[in-house]
Structure formats: C-alpha cells, structure tokens
Amino acid sequence: MKGETLRTMTAEEFTTSDGTRLRIVDEGPADAPVTVVLVHGWALTKHTWDRVADGLPKAAGTQLRILRFDLRGHGESDPAQPGSASIRQCADDLAELIAERAPEGPVVLAGHSMGGMTIMALAEQHPELFARRIAAVALVATSAGDLVAPTLGLPRPVAAVANRGEQAFRKRLAVSRGKRLVPQSSWLRPGMRWLLFGRNPEAADVVATADWVAGCHPANMAAYRQALAEHERLGALAALRSVPTVVLSGLADRLTPHSHARRIADALPDAKLLIYAGAGHMLPLERADEVTARIAELVTRALR
C-alpha cells in the first residue's frame, strides 16, 4: 500500500440536524455484518483513510460497510457555522451519521488525531452508544488532552517561541473570510514534511497532505485549534473500558507524541498499545498496512 497514489472518488452528502452538509463515502453492502466508521484529523480530509478503507475488507476476510466523511469545515463539507467548529459538534455529527446510515448492527470506530478526540467526545456525550452499538475502537495518533502548548519535539524555549507564533497566526485566521487556507500548497510541503511525518515519507503523501491542509476553511481551522487546546477528555475514556480498543502511535510524532498514547493506554488497561518506530503523525499513510491490520483485528472481535 505504501507508495500508492491516493485515489479519487465521488462522494455523497449527509445533512446534519442543523443543516450542515457533510460529504461522505459510503462503501460496501448495507447488510454487511459490521460497519466501520473512519474519522479524520484536524485540517485533513476523509481521504486520509483511503488506503485503509481499500485494504480493510480483504484484511478482515469479510464484507464490510465502510463510512468516512469530511468533518464540517474540512474537505468538501460545508464550513462550520460560528460557534460550531468544535470537537463536541463533530461528535454530535458522528452520532447523527451512525443513527442515519448505520442504525443497526455492530460498529467499529477508528479516529485519527482529532478524529480520535471526536470518538472520546462521542463517548462523553453519547455513552449509550458504547453500551449498545460500538463494538470496538481504534485511536490513532491522538490525545486525551494537554494540547495547549505542544513541544513539537523542540527544546522548550524554541517550542515556546513557535507556540507564540502559532497563536498570533491563529488570531489572523479567526477573522479570515477566505474559503481556503492558501490557493496552492507547494510552500506548505516542507513544513508538513517536518511536522507531520517521520522518517522517509513518500513524496506523494507529503503533497497530498499539504493539499488537504491548504483546502481547510481558515476561520474554522483556527476555531478547531482552540478546541484542541480545550480538549481534556481523559475521564471520557471510562466509556471505552468495556470496548475492545487499540491505541496506535508513531515514535516520531511531533503533534501527539507517544506519551499521549501511553496516557490513554494507562486509562484503558485492557487496550492494546502499539508504537511504531520511525513513524510520525500520519499513521494512516505512513503505516497503512499496519493500521489496516489492527482495525481488521477489531472487526474480527466485533464479529464474535
């Protein structure tokens, strides 16, 4: 899978209760024994999961229904209206999507970065789903909190300067009226390479990731960054204690370091923790085969 070109596909629309249109990809038979819902991260898109979605039915050895969607303010979805660019709202959107598109049968959730935080917020806001419907969870390169001022793998004085610069840039984004962060992504690529990837990433992956970030809605991007700073949901993990869970992290992740994964695993003693040497934040691209295999294992458990 590594090195493949990310595919282009058509998507459908799903409209939330507040009228926001989300673009979704809904693949596989409606009567499949398990539905897998893949949730992407901050400033990214549903295409983060393309390789995993492609390989998952074969890896699981069964037909699957696979849903993935652009969070509001991301990709091809509508911008988030003022006050709704939040992890809490993303969790409510996810709950509505499950109710509408997968009203019956076991559901396996996988969340990357802010997608994992959305699953934590779902557990906090809709714990009944985890008692009745959610059969397993994969938390990929994510965090339960402590994201106000990340160190980014830098010495603390340097990280402090970087965070002050990011906060100033965030204030500018918050008042932007643009629809895209930047018109084209080429100048973002070196920064994305350093920030989001580990050793020896595929050039096409860096380009695709920079394209996704470039297309993010600027004011929403700023609001979501504030939501990341406010995200403290270690307590919400209690709803996952009876749910088979795998926690995946890259040893070279600058945004959500492996210490965050260990903190999640400590709160979930029965969870499986896997840390990948040389990998950064973009595990669904950098370690697509491994991520696919781990989710396939959860599907197998859900089938039991």
Side-chain angles (χ1 to χ4, degrees):
M1 290 182 186
K2 189 174 181 181
E4 292 178 0
T5 301
L6 298 182
R7 66 181 183 175
T8 302
M9 64 186 70
T10 58
E12 307 171 34
E13 282 187 357
F14 170 76
T15 302
T16 67
S17 58
D18 70 354
T20 302
R21 294 173 301 174
L22 306 181
R23 297 289 281 181
I24 71 170
V25 175
D26 186 344
E27 295 180 308
D31 61 351
V34 176
T35 298
V36 179
V37 185
L38 305 170
V39 192
H40 71 77
W42 176 52
L44 302 173
T45 80
K46 59 186 176 295
H47 296 303
T48 309
W49 289 107
D50 282 358
R51 291 184 190 142
V52 173
D54 281 349
L56 197 50
K58 182 177 180 181
T62 186
Q63 287 189 319
L64 296 173
R65 181 131 179 243
I66 302 175
L67 296 172
R68 54 202 188 281
F69 65 105
D70 288 331
L71 298 169
R72 57 176 65 202
H74 294 76
E76 299 173 289
S77 289
D78 284 349
Q81 298 305 309
S84 74
S86 68
I87 296 171
R88 181 179 183 85
Q89 183 61 60
C90 289
D92 285 340
D93 291 346
L94 177 56
E96 290 185 19
L97 180 66
I98 292 170
E100 174 70 23
R101 292 294 180 126
E104 297 180 352
V107 175
V108 173
L109 297 177
H112 171 240
S113 191
M114 194 173 78
M117 300 173 209
T118 296
I119 292 172
M120 296 176 206
L122 184 72
E124 181 178 68
Q125 294 155 220
H126 303 275
E128 73 285 353
L129 272 175
F130 289 80
R132 297 186 296 105
R133 299 290 316 286
I134 307 305
V137 171
L139 299 173
V140 183
T142 191
S143 172
D146 193 21
L147 294 170
V148 174
T151 63
L152 306 175
L154 299 168
R156 290 196 175 274
V158 179
V161 172
N163 280 303
R164 285 196 296 271
E166 184 274 324
Q167 290 168 9
F169 183 56
R170 192 193 317 169
K171 290 179 181 178
R172 293 180 59 187
L173 288 182
V175 297
S176 171
R177 295 184 179 181
K179 295 181 179 180
R180 291 175 55 90
L181 181 63
V182 291
Q184 56 86 30
S185 69
S186 58
W187 71 274
L188 292 176
R189 293 170 194 169
M192 295 298 97
R193 163 69 180 83
W194 176 82
L195 182 63
L196 298 180
F197 289 88
R199 292 197 302 265
N200 304 316
E202 296 290 333
D205 291 348
V206 176
V207 170
T209 301
D211 285 346
W212 299 331
V213 173
C216 196
H217 187 277
N220 287 178
M221 187 176 182
Y224 279 120
R225 176 62 186 93
Q226 181 60 35
L228 293 176
E230 296 169 358
H231 168 70
E232 293 292 341
R233 290 186 169 90
L234 193 65
L237 295 173
L240 276 67
R241 285 180 186 151
S242 61
V243 177
T245 301
V246 63
V247 182
L248 309 179
S249 178
L251 193 60
D253 190 337
R254 293 179 180 274
L255 284 185
T256 53
H258 62 93
S259 58
H260 289 244
R262 293 188 184 281
R263 186 173 179 232
I264 293 169
D266 287 344
L268 297 171
D270 294 330
K272 187 176 188 177
L273 172 63
L274 294 168
I275 297 177
Y276 297 97
H281 190 65
M282 298 299 291
L283 286 180
L285 301 183
E286 296 178 84
R287 298 292 187 272
D289 289 337
E290 290 91 337
V291 173
T292 302
R294 300 295 78 76
I295 299 174
E297 290 172 359
L298 294 177
V299 169
T300 299
R301 294 190 67 174
L303 286 170
R304 293 174 186 163

